[in-house]
Amino acid sequence: MARHVFLTGPPGVGKTTLIQKASEDLKSSGVLLDGFYTEEVRQGGRRTGFDVVTLSGTRGPLSRVGPDPVPGKRECRVGQYVVDVTSFEQLALPILRNVGSGGPGRRVCVIDEIGKMELFSQPFIQAVRQTLSSPGTVVLGTIPIPRGKLLALVEEIRSRPDVKVFSKKEPVDLKTEQQFTYRAGRMNKTSEPWGR
């Protein structure tokens, strides 16, 4: 049976918006949750990068447009973006390491997203695997659609028997949104929120 739920789809279809809505609904119904999402950073109408934002509101850079390497940091690039692995790890890793250690009861861990930028961090990859295997922890996350070179961890997640993946194909995809929101809402009502 599926215990974790992931949302996939092309950029700009509203995966993060849907994750945020589901997180707010869960929190308002008393479910214990922690995690993070990624958010575009815009300047003068142009996207200049991405930030990591924790559910508690802490924010830090994930990437920025940059022709030159960031001094003092190892250079990891996705297209025009230079990934700040150190900043990402400082925000994401404590959440993943602590989500399963909060005592008895189910916890929801929001991970938006597990993509190319985030996968430059080997400790993040290990922490995601550990979180997915933690009893009492349910992951609500996003993964990219398969394009070009496949991402090993993403394909591993897709093939897990305890994962249900929903595909959001366009900004207005009411059927997927309703199914995803319904299943996310069941997290506080049953031990197997995703069914068969």
Side-chain angles (χ1 to χ4, degrees):
M1 285 217 191
R3 175 167 57 120
H4 309 292
V5 68
F6 282 83
L7 193 58
T8 190
V13 297
K15 296 182 299 290
T16 296
T17 302
L18 192 51
I19 286 281
Q20 289 171 322
K21 180 187 180 320
S23 297
E24 289 168 13
D25 291 350
L26 289 167
K27 189 174 184 177
S28 69
S29 66
V31 173
L32 298 173
L33 73 156
D34 202 355
F36 67 89
Y37 59 91
T38 54
E39 185 172 89
E40 284 187 355
V41 176
R42 293 192 164 268
Q43 217 169 27
R46 265 190 68 231
R47 184 169 65 195
T48 59
F50 296 90
D51 276 354
V52 175
V53 184
T54 67
L55 295 185
S56 63
T58 306
R59 172 184 295 270
L62 171 60
S63 67
R64 295 293 184 266
V65 172
D68 299 321
V70 178
K73 308 225 190 244
R74 65 182 190 209
E75 171 133 332
C76 298
R77 280 189 175 270
V78 175
Q80 65 181 338
Y81 300 102
V82 177
V83 180
D84 188 338
V85 176
T86 302
S87 171
F88 171 68
E89 289 178 345
Q90 288 172 345
L91 288 172
L93 293 180
I95 291 168
L96 296 177
R97 290 180 178 146
N98 294 330
V99 76
S101 64
R106 185 190 345 238
R107 303 224 176 329
V108 176
C109 183
V110 176
I111 307 174
D112 173 37
E113 94 174 334
I114 301 171
K116 284 182 184 177
M117 292 184 189
E118 296 83 1
L119 294 177
F120 280 114
S121 169
Q122 289 302 310
F124 174 71
I125 292 169
Q126 293 168 354
V128 168
R129 285 182 175 133
Q130 184 175 1
T131 301
L132 286 167
S133 299
S134 294
T137 300
V138 176
V139 175
L140 183 62
T142 62
I143 53 177
I145 56 172
R147 299 190 331 208
K149 184 180 177 193
L150 298 179
L151 304 173
L153 181 61
V154 172
E155 295 312 305
E156 180 183 316
I157 290 168
R158 281 183 198 283
S159 66
R160 287 178 63 112
D162 60 349
V163 168
K164 172 76 174 161
V165 178
F166 289 91
S167 182
K168 187 166 173 31
K169 295 178 175 81
E170 51 195 54
V172 179
D173 184 353
L174 294 178
K175 182 179 177 184
T176 301
E177 289 178 21
Q178 289 168 345
Q179 289 174 339
F180 181 82
T181 303
Y182 170 76
R183 295 208 182 200
R186 290 179 47 90
M187 286 181 164
N188 66 337
K189 295 177 177 60
T190 178
S191 63
E192 296 296 340
W194 314 124
R196 296 186 189 271

